[in-house]
Amino acid sequence: MATATNEQLVFEFRSLIPYIQSLNTLEEMHWETPVAAGKWTLKEMLCHLTQWDKYFYEEAFAKIMKGQPLTLRQQNFDEFNARAIEYAKSLTKQAAIGQFVLYRTKILDAATALSDEELVKEYIDGDGQKFSIRGYLEDFIPHDKHHKQQMEQYIRPGATS
C-alpha cells in the first residue's frame, strides 16, 4: 500500500466530523445504550475520542504552534478512559458532539497551518519520546476507524429491523 500524503491523512482525520454530526439525529436512547454487551455507549465512545483529541491538542499541538516544549506524557489508558466515560455522564448528546467537533477542528486547524516539513518534524514529548503530528495522525486514524465501525455495527441493525 502506498504511503498516504499529509493531505490525505488530514482529509481522513477530518472525515469523522460529518459522520459524528450525522448521529445527532439518533434518539437519546441510542446514545445512552451500550453498543454491545460490556461496551461503551455512543456518547461514552464519543467522549473517549474527544478527550484524547483534547489531550493531544493541549499537550502537543498547541505547544508546537506556540513554539513551546511538549508536555505530552504516556497515560494510563484505563484511568484516562475511565475519566472520559465519567465526563460523558455530564454532557448531552449535542454537547458531546460539539466538544468532539471543537477539539477535532482545533487539531485539524493546527495541522493544516503547518508545512509538510513541520508535520513530519520530530519533537520530544514530556517523557523524552519522539512525537510528530504525522505520526499522531497515522496512529489515531485506525483508532477512529475502530470506533466508527463499532458505531456503525450498533446503528445498522436497528435501521434494518
Side-chain angles (χ1 to χ4, degrees):
M1 185 173 128
T3 302
T5 66
N6 291 337
E7 286 175 346
Q8 288 168 323
L9 287 173
V10 168
F11 178 82
E12 194 157 355
F13 197 69
R14 183 184 315 275
S15 72
L16 195 57
I17 293 174
Y19 177 74
I20 295 299
Q21 289 173 319
S22 77
L23 300 180
N24 191 39
T25 60
L26 292 176
E27 293 180 30
E28 200 71 39
M29 67 174 219
H30 293 297
W31 282 86
E32 303 295 340
T33 306
V35 298
K39 299 290 184 184
W40 294 332
T41 67
L42 284 178
K43 190 165 63 168
E44 289 168 343
M45 203 177 300
L46 183 56
C47 287
H48 159 78
L49 292 169
T50 301
Q51 291 303 299
W52 280 112
D53 278 3
K54 180 179 189 272
Y55 180 71
F56 276 93
Y57 175 76
E58 292 175 349
E59 307 302 326
F61 285 78
K63 305 286 184 184
I64 290 168
M65 299 304 290
K66 295 175 184 172
Q68 298 173 346
L70 277 59
T71 52
L72 188 69
R73 291 187 169 275
Q74 181 68 37
Q75 296 293 302
N76 177 311
F77 297 141
D78 292 337
E79 290 175 11
F80 189 97
N81 291 337
R83 288 191 304 273
I85 301 319
E86 196 58 34
Y87 178 65
K89 295 176 184 172
S90 71
L91 298 178
T92 63
K93 74 174 180 180
Q94 289 86 359
I97 292 169
Q99 287 289 299
F100 172 78
V101 172
L102 172 70
Y103 283 100
R104 183 57 57 108
T105 301
K106 285 179 180 247
I107 286 175
L108 288 160
D109 287 350
T112 55
L114 298 172
S115 68
D116 281 350
E117 294 76 24
E118 291 169 315
L119 284 174
V120 299
K121 180 178 176 181
E122 291 183 336
Y123 301 86
I124 302 301
D125 70 16
D127 289 329
Q129 301 298 309
K130 292 178 181 176
F131 173 87
S132 74
I133 291 177
R134 181 181 172 90
Y136 169 82
L137 295 174
E138 288 173 336
D139 288 347
F140 270 79
I141 288 170
H143 179 250
D144 282 355
K145 286 181 177 180
H146 165 72
H147 289 302
K148 182 179 179 187
Q149 182 180 29
Q150 288 178 314
M151 292 175 186
E152 289 174 334
Q153 287 173 345
Y154 168 69
I155 294 165
R156 272 211 191 102
T160 58
S161 59

